[in-house]
Amino acid sequence: MPTLTKLYSMKEAALHNTPDDCWIVVDGKIYDVTAYLDDHPGGADVLLAVTGMDGTDEFEDAGHSKDAKELMKDYFIGELDLDEAPDMPEMEVFRKEQDKDFASKLVDYAVQYWAIPVAAAGISAVVAILYARRK
């Protein structure tokens, strides 16, 4: 069902966090309490402490009266946009190379590391020739 009130993101509500411009979020509703800061029984600091975040728990923990909840209607300006997508980093997709068969891997390694087998064969040949000459 479409809403008839203006929708605000939490980022937008968080921008209004000064004594000259103070919005709070309680139960998914946004209130501009700038004019009420001086009249708030708990002081302006209590309201300023919950700007930019959901102050529902703090509101409920304070045990506000029914009259206080009625008074909130005077400061209501809109609702929190619950469909707002959170900022998530983009995922990088890596494709794993398919395994080659054993023979092609062996050929690749032989080409890549040809110096070791050649050196081993050369040393073996020199040792064999020297050993054969001694006898």
Side-chain angles (χ1 to χ4, degrees), residues 38-59:
D38 293 333
D39 298 331
H40 187 260
D45 292 338
V46 175
L47 295 174
L48 289 169
V50 293
T51 59
M53 61 182 167
D54 190 344
T56 304
D57 292 337
E58 289 82 354
F59 181 81

Side-chain angles (χ1 to χ4, degrees), residues 1-20:
M1 189 164 146
T3 180
L4 299 176
T5 61
K6 182 160 173 125
L7 296 177
Y8 296 97
S9 67
M10 185 61 89
K11 281 184 182 181
E12 190 173 0
L15 295 174
H16 303 271
N17 60 358
T18 65
D20 297 327

